[in-house]
Amino acid sequence: MDNKIKITSFEDGIVIKISGELDSSKTGLYKEKIHQSMRAYGPRYIIWDMKDLTFLDSAGIGLILGRYNEIEKIRGIMGLIGLNTYSRKIIAISGLFQIIKEYNSLKSFMKEEKINQ
């Protein structure tokens, strides 16, 4: 699977879809692309779609945590969707589930967080 990042916008937020590996060789480039999107859209919500993620290491966790810290400063909300067994285990071990919630889908995130209702 190709390593890619795709960022799309929705009501006051962005979805960051990562395909392939999220490791130290990708985080610098991905961080810049995410920052560009954050400047362009000014999101209050960030959703990480990890359905096509095949590998996640500490650099990837750091990328997610760094964006959480940024969105938290504006009292925004971050969520995770599409986790497979592997990525869910890595995220659990890292402790991210203590601050970032997993949702079934973007639609369920919007419903639970009462966005655009």
Side-chain angles (χ1 to χ4, degrees):
M1 172 175 292
D2 289 338
N3 294 311
K4 293 189 278 186
I5 183 171
K6 181 179 178 187
I7 302 172
T8 55
S9 64
F10 67 95
E11 181 73 28
D12 205 16
I14 58 173
V15 176
I16 302 168
K17 182 174 177 131
I18 305 286
S19 301
E21 299 178 355
L22 182 53
D23 60 18
S24 59
S25 69
K26 318 290 180 316
T27 54
L29 174 65
Y30 289 0
K31 180 179 178 181
E32 182 54 35
K33 288 184 177 194
I34 293 166
H35 277 158
Q36 289 172 0
S37 293
M38 290 178 78
R39 284 190 297 270
Y41 297 112
R44 183 162 177 249
Y45 309 105
I46 297 178
I47 293 293
W48 292 84
D49 182 347
M50 301 183 154
K51 183 180 78 157
D52 296 326
L53 188 71
T54 59
F55 180 78
L56 178 64
D57 70 3
S58 60
I61 294 293
L63 179 69
I64 295 167
L65 184 58
R67 302 317 56 84
Y68 170 81
N69 289 333
E70 290 176 22
I71 206 75
E72 203 268 335
K73 286 178 186 173
I74 62 165
R75 298 184 189 264
I77 300 170
M78 180 178 284
L80 304 166
I81 61 173
L83 297 176
N84 59 31
T85 303
Y86 166 77
S87 55
R88 188 176 290 113
K89 181 178 180 179
I90 298 300
I91 290 170
I93 290 168
S94 74
L96 280 183
F97 281 135
Q98 294 176 1
I99 57 172
I100 304 172
K101 187 174 174 184
E102 180 181 6
Y103 299 86
N104 291 330
S105 64
L106 177 59
K107 187 175 181 177
S108 68
F109 169 79
M110 294 179 78
K111 183 177 179 181
E112 286 184 46
E113 299 302 335
K114 298 174 177 56
I115 301 167
N116 195 22
Q117 293 187 356

